[in-house]
C-alpha cells in the first residue's frame, strides 16, 4: 500500500500530556465526551503527517462539532478536486498509448558511446538512471517532509524547552545523534511524539 493511500492520523494533547490518538473524528469525540470546558480550551490536536495543529470548534454538542468537521472536510475536498480538474490538460481523442513511450533525447557523442557500451544498451541504461534518480528524489522529499512536520510540532509545543534551538539546528543539519541527545530530557509525551515525527527526517546510510 502506498503512503499516500494511508489514512491520516491525529494526536491530541492536553497541556503537555498526550490525550488521544486516531482519526480526527475519534479524537474529537473522545475529547468532547470526556473533558470539561476548561480542559477543552487547552486541547491541541496535531496532524501526524504534517505536525501542524488542527483548528477545532468545540462549541455545542458532539454531533454539532462533528457536523462542522464533516462540512469543512467536504468543502476542502471539493476545492481540491476542482483545482485538479482545472489543471488537467484536455484529453486527446483516440486510443491511449500503453507501455513504452518514445521521445527525443539529445546527448553528446561521448555520452551516446558510453550508453551504448552499457549492458542492455542505451534504453535500458537510461531507464535505470531515471528510476534511480526518482528513488533518490523521493527519499530526499520524505526527509524534507519529516523535518518540516517535526519543526511545526516543536515550534507549537516545545518552543520554550531547553535546547530547543540546538535541537532544530541538529534536525536540519541531519545530525541524528545530536538531535536525539538534545531532546532526551524533554517532557516524555512531547519527546516521544517528536521522535515519531522525526523517524524519517534523517538520511539512512546504505550498506
Amino acid at each position: 500500500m502506498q503512503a499516500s493511500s494511508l489514512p491520516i492520523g491525529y494526536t491530541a494533547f492536553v497541556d503537555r500530556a498526550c490525550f488521544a490518538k486516531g482519526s480526527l473524528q475519534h479524537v474529537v469525540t473522545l475529547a468532547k465526551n470526556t473533558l470539561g470546558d476548561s480542559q477543552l480550551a487547552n486541547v491541541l490536536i496535531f496532524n501526524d503527517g504534517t505536525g501542524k495543529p488542527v483548528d477545532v470548534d468545540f462549541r455545542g454538542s458532539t454531533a454539532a462539532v462533528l457536523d462542522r468537521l464533516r462540512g469543512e472536510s467536504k468543502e476542502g475536498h471539493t476545492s481540491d478536486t476542482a483545482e485538479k480538474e482545472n489543471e488537467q490538460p484536455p484529453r486527446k481523442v483516440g486510443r491511449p498509448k500503453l507501455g513504452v513511450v518514445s521521445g527525443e533525447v539529445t546527448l553528446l557523442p561521448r555520452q551516446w558511446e558510453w550508453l551504448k557500451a552499457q549492458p542492455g544498451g542505451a534504453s535500458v541504461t537510461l531507464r535505470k538512471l531515471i528510476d534511480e534518480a526518482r528513488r533518490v528524489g523521493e527519499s530526499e522529499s520524505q526527509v524534507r517532509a519529516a523535518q518540516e512536520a517535526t519543526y511545526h510540532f516543536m515550534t507549537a509545543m516545545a518552543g520554550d524547552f531547553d535546547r530547543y534551538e540546538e535541537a532544530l539546528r541538529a534536525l536540519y543539519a541531519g545530525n541524528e545523534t545530536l538531535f536525539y541527545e538534545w531532546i532526551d530530557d524533554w517532557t516524555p509525551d512531547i519527546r516521544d511524539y517528536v521522535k515519531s515525527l522525526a523517524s524519517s527526517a534523517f538520511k539512512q546510510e546504505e550498506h
Side-chain angles (χ1 to χ4, degrees):
M1 183 179 292
Q2 296 180 350
S4 60
S5 63
L6 294 175
I8 299 174
Y10 295 82
T11 301
F13 287 83
V14 179
D15 294 324
R16 294 181 173 180
C18 180
F19 170 74
K21 290 177 172 288
S23 69
L24 184 57
Q25 290 76 13
H26 167 74
V27 171
V28 168
T29 299
L30 191 60
K32 183 67 178 175
N33 290 344
T34 60
L35 300 178
D37 291 340
S38 60
Q39 289 178 302
L40 283 174
N42 294 321
V43 171
L44 285 175
I45 301 175
F46 292 89
N47 183 309
D48 294 341
T50 65
K52 294 181 178 180
V54 180
D55 187 21
V56 177
D57 184 354
F58 282 105
R59 293 177 301 173
S61 65
T62 302
V65 175
L66 293 176
D67 282 343
R68 281 194 293 271
L69 284 178
R70 282 190 288 267
E72 293 170 1
S73 177
K74 185 176 181 181
E75 289 176 3
H77 177 74
T78 301
S79 176
D80 291 343
T81 301
E83 289 181 3
K84 289 180 180 179
E85 288 178 349
N86 290 334
E87 292 174 356
Q88 290 179 350
R91 293 183 178 179
K92 296 181 180 180
V93 178
R95 182 179 178 181
K97 293 182 179 180
L98 303 176
V100 177
V101 178
S102 62
E104 182 179 348
V105 177
T106 302
L107 297 174
L108 296 174
R110 66 175 183 274
Q111 294 168 333
W112 276 120
E113 291 301 321
W114 181 85
L115 279 175
K116 292 176 182 177
Q118 303 309 304
S123 295
V124 171
T125 302
L126 282 173
R127 287 197 290 270
K128 289 181 179 179
L129 290 173
I130 291 170
D131 287 343
E132 176 62 16
R134 289 181 61 186
R135 185 190 66 79
V136 172
E138 289 171 358
S139 176
E140 292 178 349
S141 295
Q142 186 180 41
V143 168
R144 286 194 298 270
Q147 287 175 337
E148 289 302 301
T150 306
Y151 162 78
H152 289 308
F153 178 75
M154 285 174 56
T155 300
M157 294 293 286
D160 60 346
F161 282 17
D162 290 339
R163 295 183 292 277
Y164 159 78
E165 292 183 358
E166 290 88 340
L168 273 186
R169 285 195 289 269
L171 173 70
Y172 282 105
N175 191 329
E176 183 176 9
T177 300
L178 194 56
F179 173 77
Y180 288 121
E181 180 181 330
W182 289 140
I183 71 172
D184 188 58
D185 61 353
W186 285 6
T187 303
D189 286 355
I190 291 179
R191 179 199 61 210
D192 292 345
Y193 190 61
V194 168
K195 287 183 176 181
S196 71
L197 292 174
S199 61
S200 300
F202 302 95
K203 293 182 179 179
Q204 300 299 318
E205 295 293 335
E206 294 185 2
H207 301 284

